[in-house]
Amino acid sequence: MARSLKVAPDYRNLVKSALRRNGYPSQKKFAEHVTPSLSTVKKFLNGEPVDFEYFVELCEALGLNWRDIYLDESDNPPSPNDSNPTLEESSPFITGTPITHPRYFFGRKRELKRLFNLLKRHPLQNAAIIGKRRIGKTSLLHYLKTITTTPPDELRPGQKSDWLPHPERYCWIFVDFQDTRMASQEKLLGYILEAMNMKVPNPCHLDYFMDVVSSHLHSPTVILLDEIGVGLQRCPELDDGFWESLRSLATNQTGGNLAFILATPESPLDLASHTGHSSPFFNIFGYTAYLGALTEAEARELIDSSPIPFPVEDVAWILEKSQCLPLLLQILCRERLFSLEEGETGDDWREEGLRQIEPFTNF
């Protein structure tokens, strides 16, 4: 069953004339009066696939019957209650694992603005994301990697994604040092080369890696280093010579096309010192994003994403008890949503919520 629809070729002129007939002088003006973004409106008018719910909304806004104009590519047209099953099956409140789909990531607007400003012009600049355990560092790395190329119909209405002028040109490489394979210099270098669509030799040595990347990296590339403390503490193959080579690539040999963003609970220089490293790689991070609690507005946006609205008094209680910390917010929202879905009455969910967040209130 289709989860996205497009206007049939025979009806595209009808749809465009309906735009003018309904008093919209331009596509931009029309987009200002509907939920979908301007890019989604353009796709709709040009006969490209858009999310089913957006397709129906746009048709209704133009006074058209969606069943009459969509391209019938199956014998089972969707019903108005259908929606994207992948997103529907995802938990609205995520605890214990990083958030990897940008639709479910909330907040950090100030940090995102600063980070993308470092990456949208040459030379690309390096950054460190610092915060306590479970504050959302890994989720932020995933968001940076995915938000600019995620189709608008998979995002929340109004969710900003146009952070970069040409996002399709960027290569994002996520390195998780908790993955034991990344402890091997050869496997790590091979992984990075493969992500860059460059030839991976066997064996893959550092000298070859340096030669290939310095000669062939011509598009903006961002390497995201997660749990770098693990890499420094437990990976002897990743010595000072290795890190110095990466610094040389970023600063001198790739024409400003390479940047590193790392996530760590402490400053890169302190981390290197505490693990016995002295490589100048750790002094190239000119911007640091310190992650703490969300703003109240960001926390409310997360709470309001519940498929079942929470009573006002429960929202106030969740804000107070969570202190707007992302993990505590997610846990308390999860418990409230569960109680509403089960038709429970009373405040037992609050007691359970406090019990669930207790292990994380002093980390």
Side-chain angles (χ1 to χ4, degrees), residues 37-55:
S37 66
L38 176 59
S39 61
T40 301
V41 168
K42 289 181 177 179
K43 288 181 178 180
F44 169 79
L45 295 172
N46 291 328
E48 298 177 34
V50 301
D51 179 84
F52 171 69
E53 292 180 353
Y54 286 159
F55 187 94

Side-chain angles (χ1 to χ4, degrees), residues 96-126:
T97 59
I99 295 169
T100 56
H101 196 291
R103 183 185 184 97
Y104 301 105
F105 182 93
F106 291 85
R108 310 303 186 197
K109 294 181 177 64
R110 179 179 181 276
E111 292 82 2
L112 287 166
K113 182 177 181 180
R114 296 292 298 275
L115 289 166
F116 278 117
N117 278 341
L118 296 175
L119 300 174
K120 69 181 183 181
R121 301 181 182 92
H122 275 77
L124 276 63
Q125 299 179 56
N126 308 290

Side-chain angles (χ1 to χ4, degrees), residues 94-356:
I94 300 170
T95 61
T97 59
I99 295 169
T100 56
H101 196 291
R103 183 185 184 97
Y104 301 105
F105 182 93
F106 291 85
R108 310 303 186 197
K109 294 181 177 64
R110 179 179 181 276
E111 292 82 2
L112 287 166
K113 182 177 181 180
R114 296 292 298 275
L115 289 166
F116 278 117
N117 278 341
L118 296 175
L119 300 174
K120 69 181 183 181
R121 301 181 182 92
H122 275 77
L124 276 63
Q125 299 179 56
N126 308 290
I129 298 171
I130 296 179
K132 295 180 179 180
R133 293 174 57 249
R134 300 181 183 274
I135 201 64
K137 300 186 295 296
T138 301
S139 296
L140 179 54
L141 291 180
H142 281 294
Y143 194 75
L144 290 168
K145 180 176 182 287
T146 58
I147 181 58
T148 60
T149 55
T150 298
D153 54 8
E154 292 184 15
L155 300 175
R156 302 188 303 275
Q159 189 173 3
K160 182 176 175 61
S161 61
D162 58 343
W163 294 100
L164 298 171
H166 300 287
E168 71 283 352
R169 296 186 58 235
Y170 282 70
C171 174
W172 298 85
I173 305 172
F174 184 90
V175 178
D176 179 7
F177 284 107
Q178 292 184 117
D179 183 341
T180 57
R181 292 170 294 182
M182 299 298 101
S184 162
Q185 185 178 125
E186 181 178 346
K187 289 183 178 179
L188 174 57
L189 296 178
Y191 169 76
I192 295 173
L193 286 176
E194 185 175 3
M196 292 178 175
N197 291 317
M198 297 181 184
K199 182 179 179 181
V200 181
N202 185 17
C204 183
H205 297 304
L206 183 58
D207 286 349
Y208 174 89
F209 176 85
M210 295 290 291
D211 287 340
V212 171
V213 175
S214 60
S215 300
H216 297 94
L217 186 63
H218 304 302
S219 59
T221 299
V222 185
I223 300 180
L224 306 166
L225 304 175
D226 195 28
E227 296 290 348
I228 192 171
V230 175
L232 295 177
Q233 293 168 356
R234 306 178 190 172
C235 307
E237 290 187 28
L238 308 182
D239 55 15
D240 282 349
F242 169 81
W243 296 111
E244 287 164 7
S245 296
L246 295 190
R247 184 186 193 278
S248 177
L249 280 178
T251 57
N252 298 316
Q253 302 188 41
T254 53
N257 282 313
L258 179 63
F260 293 91
I261 298 179
L262 59 80
T264 170
E266 55 184 322
S267 78
L269 287 174
D270 289 343
L271 183 63
S273 175
H274 295 161
T275 55
H277 290 266
S278 60
S279 170
F281 173 80
F282 299 98
N283 66 17
I284 66 174
F285 298 90
Y287 171 70
T288 300
Y290 294 94
L291 301 191
L294 303 181
T295 66
E296 181 176 327
E298 292 170 342
R300 286 184 178 275
E301 186 180 7
L302 189 156
I303 294 170
D304 291 344
S305 70
S306 172
I308 302 176
F310 296 165
V312 174
E313 60 273 17
D314 290 338
V315 172
W317 185 87
I318 291 172
L319 289 171
E320 176 191 356
K321 298 302 181 182
S322 70
Q323 303 175 66
C324 295
L325 293 168
L327 177 61
L328 306 191
L329 275 167
Q330 298 274 7
I331 292 173
L332 294 179
C333 288
R334 178 196 66 194
E335 293 302 319
R336 186 57 179 127
L337 177 60
F338 179 78
S339 69
L340 290 171
E341 289 175 334
E342 295 300 308
E344 298 175 0
T345 58
D347 290 334
D348 289 350
W349 71 272
R350 294 191 179 188
E351 181 179 346
E352 180 61 23
L354 292 176
R355 185 162 44 247
Q356 293 293 330

